[in-house]
Amino acid sequence: MPDWIEVALRTLSAVTVLFIITKILGKRQISQLSLFEYITGITLGNLVGYISLDLDSTWYLGFVALAVWIVVSVGAEYFTMKSKKFRDIVDGKSTILVENGALIADNLRKEKLTVDEFLEQLRKKDVFRVADVEFAIMEQSGEINVMLKKEFQPLTADALGYRLMKEQEPKTIIIDGRILPDSLKETGFSESWVHKQLRDLHLPLKHVFIGQVDSKGELTVQTGSRALPNSAQPQPSAQISDLVAQFQDELTMRKKLAQNDKDQLQYQEALDTLNHAMSSYQSTKKP
């Protein structure tokens, strides 16, 4: 057999084996690698290169080495899942870099991390002042995670006391002009419903690039050049109701946080006035 054919066949075999190994070792091998997984990846790459290009008569021993590495890697993964001590040895431990707002210089030196590198990692987290950081930790993967001080954390609906409806994942039911039966079944709608929605949009199915159904049961469509339906402005009555609900939540939260009974009473009076005004408004809107 000519050498080039032999090399081609061995390369295909090695790639197939490497793909199977990656599937066996799991998705962590292609995401955040631990130190042991990093070493395993380098070694497997070298072994596959040896199997593909080495023309010695003993090239097949590379597969033996691959098999050994598979056994070692799978065994390491198993014991990592079962034993915290073994996991600490193989994957290492996380290191605290900032605690209670104070930078720990000794831990920076321990991780061979310069101040410039640390500041760079903070900037990647949209943090530009070390003084804003309450807690920072370097994970086993080398990534640095940051918790800001309370006063610098972004406001959330929960912090403001707002009540939000539960959001569900949109279901993609059309891709490249084809309806996906399994995804459509999860939405509870039928294909006839989809075709009716598309007729209302004056759009044939074959022109739909992506179609999704949201938690409200509304179909939104991307054609590759347009987004349908066009976003409509909410009705004034709906906007008023949303604003009143926000004010009610705000007053309720401030009442709970009030320092004394007098302040609580004032917030309650404002809340009662707002509720009365909203009731009067709604009664005038009724036919």
Side-chain angles (χ1 to χ4, degrees), residues 13-58:
S13 301
V15 170
T16 302
V17 171
L18 191 59
F19 176 78
I20 295 173
I21 292 173
T22 305
K23 296 291 285 185
I24 293 174
L25 296 180
K27 293 182 179 179
R28 281 187 61 191
Q29 290 290 323
I30 56 177
S31 56
Q32 296 293 336
L33 302 180
S34 66
L35 178 61
F36 179 77
E37 290 164 343
Y38 178 73
I39 295 172
T40 298
I42 294 175
T43 304
L44 293 180
N46 289 335
L47 289 174
V48 168
Y50 167 78
I51 294 172
S52 299
L53 297 176
D54 199 298
L55 299 179
D56 292 341
S57 59
T58 58

mmCIF file of all heavy atoms in Angstrom, residues 13-58:
data_model
loop_
_atom_site.group_PDB
_atom_site.id
_atom_site.type_symbol
_atom_site.label_atom_id
_atom_site.label_comp_id
_atom_site.label_asym_id
_atom_site.label_seq_id
_atom_site.Cartn_x
_atom_site.Cartn_y
_atom_site.Cartn_z
ATOM 1 N N SER A 13 -8.760 7.043 10.825
ATOM 2 C CA SER A 13 -9.000 6.184 11.984
ATOM 3 C C SER A 13 -8.722 6.922 13.285
ATOM 4 O O SER A 13 -9.499 6.824 14.258
ATOM 5 C CB SER A 13 -8.123 4.932 11.903
ATOM 6 O OG SER A 13 -8.390 4.198 10.714
ATOM 7 N N ALA A 14 -7.634 7.690 13.311
ATOM 8 C CA ALA A 14 -7.262 8.416 14.523
ATOM 9 C C ALA A 14 -8.283 9.486 14.858
ATOM 10 O O ALA A 14 -8.656 9.672 16.026
ATOM 11 C CB ALA A 14 -5.874 9.038 14.364
ATOM 12 N N VAL A 15 -8.777 10.196 13.820
ATOM 13 C CA VAL A 15 -9.784 11.232 14.062
ATOM 14 C C VAL A 15 -11.065 10.609 14.606
ATOM 15 O O VAL A 15 -11.707 11.137 15.519
ATOM 16 C CB VAL A 15 -10.062 12.015 12.767
ATOM 17 C CG1 VAL A 15 -11.279 12.913 12.941
ATOM 18 C CG2 VAL A 15 -8.856 12.852 12.380
ATOM 19 N N THR A 16 -11.465 9.461 14.051
ATOM 20 C CA THR A 16 -12.666 8.776 14.523
ATOM 21 C C THR A 16 -12.516 8.363 15.984
ATOM 22 O O THR A 16 -13.425 8.566 16.801
ATOM 23 C CB THR A 16 -12.948 7.536 13.661
ATOM 24 O OG1 THR A 16 -13.105 7.930 12.286
ATOM 25 C CG2 THR A 16 -14.200 6.821 14.120
ATOM 26 N N VAL A 17 -11.355 7.788 16.313
ATOM 27 C CA VAL A 17 -11.111 7.367 17.695
ATOM 28 C C VAL A 17 -11.101 8.574 18.623
ATOM 29 O O VAL A 17 -11.663 8.542 19.728
ATOM 30 C CB VAL A 17 -9.785 6.586 17.793
ATOM 31 C CG1 VAL A 17 -9.418 6.346 19.249
ATOM 32 C CG2 VAL A 17 -9.887 5.268 17.040
ATOM 33 N N LEU A 18 -10.477 9.682 18.191
ATOM 34 C CA LEU A 18 -10.411 10.884 19.020
ATOM 35 C C LEU A 18 -11.805 11.461 19.254
ATOM 36 O O LEU A 18 -12.115 11.935 20.358
ATOM 37 C CB LEU A 18 -9.521 11.932 18.354
ATOM 38 C CG LEU A 18 -9.137 13.153 19.193
ATOM 39 C CD1 LEU A 18 -8.388 12.712 20.439
ATOM 40 C CD2 LEU A 18 -8.303 14.125 18.384
ATOM 41 N N PHE A 19 -12.661 11.409 18.229
ATOM 42 C CA PHE A 19 -14.039 11.885 18.378
ATOM 43 C C PHE A 19 -14.782 11.033 19.413
ATOM 44 O O PHE A 19 -15.495 11.564 20.272
ATOM 45 C CB PHE A 19 -14.765 11.838 17.037
ATOM 46 C CG PHE A 19 -16.218 12.216 17.100
ATOM 47 C CD1 PHE A 19 -16.594 13.545 17.185
ATOM 48 C CD2 PHE A 19 -17.206 11.243 17.094
ATOM 49 C CE1 PHE A 19 -17.931 13.906 17.260
ATOM 50 C CE2 PHE A 19 -18.540 11.583 17.167
ATOM 51 C CZ PHE A 19 -18.905 12.930 17.248
ATOM 52 N N ILE A 20 -14.605 9.717 19.325
ATOM 53 C CA ILE A 20 -15.262 8.824 20.287
ATOM 54 C C ILE A 20 -14.752 9.095 21.707
ATOM 55 O O ILE A 20 -15.530 9.118 22.667
ATOM 56 C CB ILE A 20 -15.020 7.351 19.894
ATOM 57 C CG1 ILE A 20 -15.696 7.048 18.545
ATOM 58 C CG2 ILE A 20 -15.537 6.402 20.977
ATOM 59 C CD1 ILE A 20 -15.375 5.674 18.000
ATOM 60 N N ILE A 21 -13.444 9.330 21.832
ATOM 61 C CA ILE A 21 -12.874 9.614 23.149
ATOM 62 C C ILE A 21 -13.475 10.887 23.728
ATOM 63 O O ILE A 21 -13.837 10.945 24.915
ATOM 64 C CB ILE A 21 -11.340 9.744 23.048
ATOM 65 C CG1 ILE A 21 -10.714 8.387 22.709
ATOM 66 C CG2 ILE A 21 -10.759 10.292 24.346
ATOM 67 C CD1 ILE A 21 -9.236 8.465 22.421
ATOM 68 N N THR A 22 -13.597 11.919 22.894
ATOM 69 C CA THR A 22 -14.159 13.179 23.354
ATOM 70 C C THR A 22 -15.595 13.003 23.829
ATOM 71 O O THR A 22 -16.010 13.582 24.836
ATOM 72 C CB THR A 22 -14.097 14.230 22.236
ATOM 73 O OG1 THR A 22 -12.746 14.363 21.775
ATOM 74 C CG2 THR A 22 -14.580 15.586 22.731
ATOM 75 N N LYS A 23 -16.370 12.185 23.103
ATOM 76 C CA LYS A 23 -17.741 11.924 23.524
ATOM 77 C C LYS A 23 -17.773 11.184 24.863
ATOM 78 O O LYS A 23 -18.633 11.439 25.708
ATOM 79 C CB LYS A 23 -18.468 11.094 22.459
ATOM 80 C CG LYS A 23 -18.627 11.787 21.117
ATOM 81 C CD LYS A 23 -19.591 12.957 21.194
ATOM 82 C CE LYS A 23 -21.017 12.481 21.277
ATOM 83 N NZ LYS A 23 -21.979 13.601 21.225
ATOM 84 N N ILE A 24 -16.813 10.269 25.042
ATOM 85 C CA ILE A 24 -16.765 9.502 26.294
ATOM 86 C C ILE A 24 -16.399 10.408 27.465
ATOM 87 O O ILE A 24 -16.997 10.329 28.547
ATOM 88 C CB ILE A 24 -15.747 8.336 26.182
ATOM 89 C CG1 ILE A 24 -16.245 7.287 25.172
ATOM 90 C CG2 ILE A 24 -15.520 7.698 27.540
ATOM 91 C CD1 ILE A 24 -15.249 6.198 24.889
ATOM 92 N N LEU A 25 -15.432 11.302 27.251
ATOM 93 C CA LEU A 25 -14.946 12.145 28.335
ATOM 94 C C LEU A 25 -15.917 13.261 28.685
ATOM 95 O O LEU A 25 -15.797 13.862 29.754
ATOM 96 C CB LEU A 25 -13.578 12.734 27.968
ATOM 97 C CG LEU A 25 -12.448 11.712 27.799
ATOM 98 C CD1 LEU A 25 -11.157 12.425 27.445
ATOM 99 C CD2 LEU A 25 -12.274 10.877 29.055
ATOM 100 N N GLY A 26 -16.868 13.566 27.799
ATOM 101 C CA GLY A 26 -17.913 14.542 28.124
ATOM 102 C C GLY A 26 -17.607 15.929 27.608
ATOM 103 O O GLY A 26 -16.529 16.226 27.097
ATOM 104 N N LYS A 27 -18.603 16.818 27.786
ATOM 105 C CA LYS A 27 -18.542 18.162 27.216
ATOM 106 C C LYS A 27 -17.553 19.062 27.921
ATOM 107 O O LYS A 27 -17.157 20.083 27.371
ATOM 108 C CB LYS A 27 -19.939 18.803 27.252
ATOM 109 C CG LYS A 27 -20.934 18.112 26.324
ATOM 110 C CD LYS A 27 -22.272 18.799 26.363
ATOM 111 C CE LYS A 27 -23.252 18.122 25.419
ATOM 112 N NZ LYS A 27 -24.594 18.766 25.450
ATOM 113 N N ARG A 28 -17.154 18.723 29.138
ATOM 114 C CA ARG A 28 -16.181 19.575 29.832
ATOM 115 C C ARG A 28 -14.879 19.652 29.071
ATOM 116 O O ARG A 28 -14.127 20.611 29.186
ATOM 117 C CB ARG A 28 -15.911 19.047 31.241
ATOM 118 C CG ARG A 28 -16.986 19.397 32.250
ATOM 119 C CD ARG A 28 -16.571 18.994 33.636
ATOM 120 N NE ARG A 28 -15.370 19.681 34.058
ATOM 121 C CZ ARG A 28 -14.682 19.354 35.152
ATOM 122 N NH1 ARG A 28 -15.083 18.350 35.895
ATOM 123 N NH2 ARG A 28 -13.613 20.029 35.492
ATOM 124 N N GLN A 29 -14.590 18.621 28.256
ATOM 125 C CA GLN A 29 -13.341 18.636 27.508
ATOM 126 C C GLN A 29 -13.299 19.760 26.481
ATOM 127 O O GLN A 29 -12.245 20.166 26.036
ATOM 128 C CB GLN A 29 -13.149 17.289 26.784
ATOM 129 C CG GLN A 29 -12.849 16.131 27.711
ATOM 130 C CD GLN A 29 -11.479 16.231 28.332
ATOM 131 O OE1 GLN A 29 -10.546 16.659 27.675
ATOM 132 N NE2 GLN A 29 -11.353 15.874 29.593
ATOM 133 N N ILE A 30 -14.474 20.274 26.069
ATOM 134 C CA ILE A 30 -14.501 21.329 25.069
ATOM 135 C C ILE A 30 -14.995 22.641 25.671
ATOM 136 O O ILE A 30 -15.283 23.579 24.947
ATOM 137 C CB ILE A 30 -15.393 20.940 23.869
ATOM 138 C CG1 ILE A 30 -16.807 20.577 24.339
ATOM 139 C CG2 ILE A 30 -14.784 19.793 23.114
ATOM 140 C CD1 ILE A 30 -17.758 20.259 23.213
ATOM 141 N N SER A 31 -15.106 22.730 26.995
ATOM 142 C CA SER A 31 -15.499 23.991 27.621
ATOM 143 C C SER A 31 -14.373 24.452 28.541
ATOM 144 O O SER A 31 -13.282 24.749 28.082
ATOM 145 C CB SER A 31 -16.823 23.817 28.378
ATOM 146 O OG SER A 31 -16.725 22.780 29.329
ATOM 147 N N GLN A 32 -14.620 24.506 29.840
ATOM 148 C CA GLN A 32 -13.592 24.918 30.785
ATOM 149 C C GLN A 32 -12.796 23.698 31.239
ATOM 150 O O GLN A 32 -13.331 22.803 31.875
ATOM 151 C CB GLN A 32 -14.243 25.613 31.986
ATOM 152 C CG GLN A 32 -14.947 26.900 31.624
ATOM 153 C CD GLN A 32 -14.002 27.980 31.179
ATOM 154 O OE1 GLN A 32 -12.818 27.968 31.528
ATOM 155 N NE2 GLN A 32 -14.498 28.910 30.392
ATOM 156 N N LEU A 33 -11.514 23.677 30.912
ATOM 157 C CA LEU A 33 -10.671 22.527 31.208
ATOM 158 C C LEU A 33 -9.997 22.683 32.568
ATOM 159 O O LEU A 33 -9.524 23.757 32.926
ATOM 160 C CB LEU A 33 -9.595 22.365 30.132
ATOM 161 C CG LEU A 33 -10.068 22.187 28.685
ATOM 162 C CD1 LEU A 33 -8.866 22.036 27.772
ATOM 163 C CD2 LEU A 33 -10.980 20.997 28.554
ATOM 164 N N SER A 34 -9.943 21.594 33.293
ATOM 165 C CA SER A 34 -9.112 21.560 34.483
ATOM 166 C C SER A 34 -7.673 21.292 34.051
ATOM 167 O O SER A 34 -7.396 21.040 32.878
ATOM 168 C CB SER A 34 -9.591 20.458 35.438
ATOM 169 O OG SER A 34 -9.391 19.179 34.837
ATOM 170 N N LEU A 35 -6.747 21.336 35.032
ATOM 171 C CA LEU A 35 -5.339 21.106 34.712
ATOM 172 C C LEU A 35 -5.141 19.705 34.135
ATOM 173 O O LEU A 35 -4.442 19.522 33.135
ATOM 174 C CB LEU A 35 -4.484 21.294 35.972
ATOM 175 C CG LEU A 35 -2.981 21.041 35.806
ATOM 176 C CD1 LEU A 35 -2.394 22.010 34.793
ATOM 177 C CD2 LEU A 35 -2.269 21.173 37.155
ATOM 178 N N PHE A 36 -5.765 18.706 34.747
ATOM 179 C CA PHE A 36 -5.618 17.334 34.264
ATOM 180 C C PHE A 36 -6.219 17.189 32.864
ATOM 181 O O PHE A 36 -5.655 16.525 31.999
ATOM 182 C CB PHE A 36 -6.298 16.372 35.236
ATOM 183 C CG PHE A 36 -6.211 14.926 34.814
ATOM 184 C CD1 PHE A 36 -5.037 14.217 34.989
ATOM 185 C CD2 PHE A 36 -7.291 14.293 34.215
ATOM 186 C CE1 PHE A 36 -4.944 12.887 34.592
ATOM 187 C CE2 PHE A 36 -7.208 12.970 33.818
ATOM 188 C CZ PHE A 36 -6.030 12.267 34.004
ATOM 189 N N GLU A 37 -7.369 17.791 32.625
ATOM 190 C CA GLU A 37 -8.003 17.708 31.314
ATOM 191 C C GLU A 37 -7.174 18.417 30.257
ATOM 192 O O GLU A 37 -7.116 17.994 29.095
ATOM 193 C CB GLU A 37 -9.410 18.309 31.383
ATOM 194 C CG GLU A 37 -10.376 17.457 32.197
ATOM 195 C CD GLU A 37 -11.625 18.208 32.581
ATOM 196 O OE1 GLU A 37 -11.622 19.451 32.508
ATOM 197 O OE2 GLU A 37 -12.603 17.553 32.969
ATOM 198 N N TYR A 38 -6.518 19.504 30.635
ATOM 199 C CA TYR A 38 -5.629 20.215 29.707
ATOM 200 C C TYR A 38 -4.466 19.319 29.298
ATOM 201 O O TYR A 38 -4.122 19.219 28.111
ATOM 202 C CB TYR A 38 -5.122 21.489 30.381
ATOM 203 C CG TYR A 38 -4.164 22.301 29.554
ATOM 204 C CD1 TYR A 38 -4.614 23.031 28.458
ATOM 205 C CD2 TYR A 38 -2.812 22.353 29.879
ATOM 206 C CE1 TYR A 38 -3.731 23.783 27.699
ATOM 207 C CE2 TYR A 38 -1.933 23.104 29.129
ATOM 208 C CZ TYR A 38 -2.390 23.815 28.038
ATOM 209 O OH TYR A 38 -1.516 24.551 27.276
ATOM 210 N N ILE A 39 -3.875 18.635 30.272
ATOM 211 C CA ILE A 39 -2.773 17.713 29.971
ATOM 212 C C ILE A 39 -3.264 16.569 29.094
ATOM 213 O O ILE A 39 -2.590 16.157 28.140
ATOM 214 C CB ILE A 39 -2.167 17.174 31.286
ATOM 215 C CG1 ILE A 39 -1.517 18.312 32.073
ATOM 216 C CG2 ILE A 39 -1.153 16.075 31.002
ATOM 217 C CD1 ILE A 39 -1.072 17.905 33.460
ATOM 218 N N THR A 40 -4.455 16.059 29.401
ATOM 219 C CA THR A 40 -5.016 14.967 28.613
ATOM 220 C C THR A 40 -5.226 15.390 27.163
ATOM 221 O O THR A 40 -4.908 14.641 26.228
ATOM 222 C CB THR A 40 -6.361 14.513 29.216
ATOM 223 O OG1 THR A 40 -6.134 14.033 30.544
ATOM 224 C CG2 THR A 40 -6.984 13.411 28.382
ATOM 225 N N GLY A 41 -5.749 16.592 26.952
ATOM 226 C CA GLY A 41 -5.980 17.076 25.590
ATOM 227 C C GLY A 41 -4.695 17.183 24.792
ATOM 228 O O GLY A 41 -4.644 16.779 23.615
ATOM 229 N N ILE A 42 -3.644 17.726 25.404
ATOM 230 C CA ILE A 42 -2.359 17.841 24.709
ATOM 231 C C ILE A 42 -1.805 16.463 24.365
ATOM 232 O O ILE A 42 -1.333 16.214 23.246
ATOM 233 C CB ILE A 42 -1.351 18.629 25.577
ATOM 234 C CG1 ILE A 42 -1.808 20.078 25.729
ATOM 235 C CG2 ILE A 42 0.042 18.573 24.969
ATOM 236 C CD1 ILE A 42 -0.940 20.890 26.661
ATOM 237 N N THR A 43 -1.867 15.538 25.320
ATOM 238 C CA THR A 43 -1.319 14.199 25.108
ATOM 239 C C THR A 43 -2.064 13.459 24.012
ATOM 240 O O THR A 43 -1.438 12.831 23.133
ATOM 241 C CB THR A 43 -1.383 13.392 26.418
ATOM 242 O OG1 THR A 43 -0.699 14.105 27.448
ATOM 243 C CG2 THR A 43 -0.739 12.024 26.237
ATOM 244 N N LEU A 44 -3.378 13.536 24.022
ATOM 245 C CA LEU A 44 -4.161 12.855 22.995
ATOM 246 C C LEU A 44 -3.854 13.421 21.615
ATOM 247 O O LEU A 44 -3.771 12.681 20.633
ATOM 248 C CB LEU A 44 -5.655 12.982 23.302
ATOM 249 C CG LEU A 44 -6.166 12.253 24.544
ATOM 250 C CD1 LEU A 44 -7.660 12.468 24.714
ATOM 251 C CD2 LEU A 44 -5.858 10.766 24.469
ATOM 252 N N GLY A 45 -3.684 14.731 21.538
ATOM 253 C CA GLY A 45 -3.328 15.331 20.245
ATOM 254 C C GLY A 45 -1.993 14.831 19.732
ATOM 255 O O GLY A 45 -1.846 14.530 18.538
ATOM 256 N N ASN A 46 -1.000 14.724 20.621
ATOM 257 C CA ASN A 46 0.315 14.217 20.206
ATOM 258 C C ASN A 46 0.236 12.757 19.769
ATOM 259 O O ASN A 46 0.873 12.359 18.775
ATOM 260 C CB ASN A 46 1.313 14.358 21.358
ATOM 261 C CG ASN A 46 1.694 15.803 21.612
ATOM 262 O OD1 ASN A 46 1.618 16.637 20.713
ATOM 263 N ND2 ASN A 46 2.099 16.111 22.824
ATOM 264 N N LEU A 47 -0.548 11.953 20.495
ATOM 265 C CA LEU A 47 -0.668 10.539 20.140
ATOM 266 C C LEU A 47 -1.347 10.367 18.781
ATOM 267 O O LEU A 47 -0.939 9.521 17.971
ATOM 268 C CB LEU A 47 -1.453 9.787 21.218
ATOM 269 C CG LEU A 47 -0.729 9.595 22.560
ATOM 270 C CD1 LEU A 47 -1.669 8.974 23.585
ATOM 271 C CD2 LEU A 47 0.498 8.713 22.374
ATOM 272 N N VAL A 48 -2.387 11.154 18.523
ATOM 273 C CA VAL A 48 -3.062 11.071 17.225
ATOM 274 C C VAL A 48 -2.122 11.489 16.108
ATOM 275 O O VAL A 48 -2.105 10.883 15.030
ATOM 276 C CB VAL A 48 -4.330 11.950 17.246
ATOM 277 C CG1 VAL A 48 -4.891 12.112 15.831
ATOM 278 C CG2 VAL A 48 -5.388 11.336 18.140
ATOM 279 N N GLY A 49 -1.303 12.519 16.346
ATOM 280 C CA GLY A 49 -0.325 12.922 15.339
ATOM 281 C C GLY A 49 0.689 11.814 15.069
ATOM 282 O O GLY A 49 1.074 11.575 13.911
ATOM 283 N N TYR A 50 1.100 11.119 16.127
ATOM 284 C CA TYR A 50 2.039 9.993 15.959
ATOM 285 C C TYR A 50 1.404 8.873 15.140
ATOM 286 O O TYR A 50 2.016 8.320 14.218
ATOM 287 C CB TYR A 50 2.461 9.475 17.330
ATOM 288 C CG TYR A 50 3.168 8.143 17.294
ATOM 289 C CD1 TYR A 50 4.510 8.057 16.916
ATOM 290 C CD2 TYR A 50 2.505 6.964 17.626
ATOM 291 C CE1 TYR A 50 5.157 6.837 16.874
ATOM 292 C CE2 TYR A 50 3.139 5.741 17.581
ATOM 293 C CZ TYR A 50 4.472 5.680 17.205
ATOM 294 O OH TYR A 50 5.104 4.464 17.144
ATOM 295 N N ILE A 51 0.160 8.533 15.467
ATOM 296 C CA ILE A 51 -0.524 7.454 14.733
ATOM 297 C C ILE A 51 -0.687 7.817 13.266
ATOM 298 O O ILE A 51 -0.547 6.968 12.373
ATOM 299 C CB ILE A 51 -1.904 7.177 15.379
ATOM 300 C CG1 ILE A 51 -1.717 6.611 16.787
ATOM 301 C CG2 ILE A 51 -2.726 6.217 14.530
ATOM 302 C CD1 ILE A 51 -3.000 6.500 17.569
ATOM 303 N N SER A 52 -0.945 9.074 12.970
ATOM 304 C CA SER A 52 -1.232 9.491 11.598
ATOM 305 C C SER A 52 0.018 9.496 10.714
ATOM 306 O O SER A 52 -0.031 9.071 9.561
ATOM 307 C CB SER A 52 -1.868 10.885 11.594
ATOM 308 O OG SER A 52 -3.078 10.887 12.307
ATOM 309 N N LEU A 53 1.152 9.956 11.261
ATOM 310 C CA LEU A 53 2.295 10.256 10.396
ATOM 311 C C LEU A 53 3.505 9.342 10.581
ATOM 312 O O LEU A 53 4.368 9.286 9.705
ATOM 313 C CB LEU A 53 2.738 11.704 10.620
ATOM 314 C CG LEU A 53 1.696 12.783 10.259
ATOM 315 C CD1 LEU A 53 2.207 14.162 10.624
ATOM 316 C CD2 LEU A 53 1.382 12.710 8.770
ATOM 317 N N ASP A 54 3.582 8.645 11.725
ATOM 318 C CA ASP A 54 4.760 7.808 11.943
ATOM 319 C C ASP A 54 4.683 6.565 11.056
ATOM 320 O O ASP A 54 3.701 5.826 11.075
ATOM 321 C CB ASP A 54 4.842 7.392 13.413
ATOM 322 C CG ASP A 54 6.253 6.942 13.778
ATOM 323 O OD1 ASP A 54 6.713 5.957 13.188
ATOM 324 O OD2 ASP A 54 6.862 7.593 14.634
ATOM 325 N N LEU A 55 5.730 6.330 10.260
ATOM 326 C CA LEU A 55 5.734 5.227 9.304
ATOM 327 C C LEU A 55 6.427 3.981 9.850
ATOM 328 O O LEU A 55 6.672 3.025 9.105
ATOM 329 C CB LEU A 55 6.421 5.671 8.003
ATOM 330 C CG LEU A 55 5.741 6.846 7.273
ATOM 331 C CD1 LEU A 55 6.519 7.211 6.026
ATOM 332 C CD2 LEU A 55 4.303 6.490 6.927
ATOM 333 N N ASP A 56 6.771 3.991 11.152
ATOM 334 C CA ASP A 56 7.368 2.799 11.742
ATOM 335 C C ASP A 56 6.360 1.648 11.753
ATOM 336 O O ASP A 56 5.146 1.854 11.725
ATOM 337 C CB ASP A 56 7.833 3.085 13.171
ATOM 338 C CG ASP A 56 9.009 4.057 13.191
ATOM 339 O OD1 ASP A 56 9.655 4.197 12.128
ATOM 340 O OD2 ASP A 56 9.250 4.675 14.241
ATOM 341 N N SER A 57 6.890 0.454 11.838
ATOM 342 C CA SER A 57 6.009 -0.720 11.823
ATOM 343 C C SER A 57 5.218 -0.862 13.119
ATOM 344 O O SER A 57 4.253 -1.611 13.175
ATOM 345 C CB SER A 57 6.846 -1.991 11.596
ATOM 346 O OG SER A 57 7.827 -2.117 12.630
ATOM 347 N N THR A 58 5.637 -0.137 14.161
ATOM 348 C CA THR A 58 4.945 -0.249 15.456
ATOM 349 C C THR A 58 4.001 0.926 15.707
ATOM 350 O O THR A 58 3.675 1.225 16.852
ATOM 351 C CB THR A 58 5.986 -0.332 16.592
ATOM 352 O OG1 THR A 58 6.817 0.839 16.548
ATOM 353 C CG2 THR A 58 6.850 -1.575 16.465
#
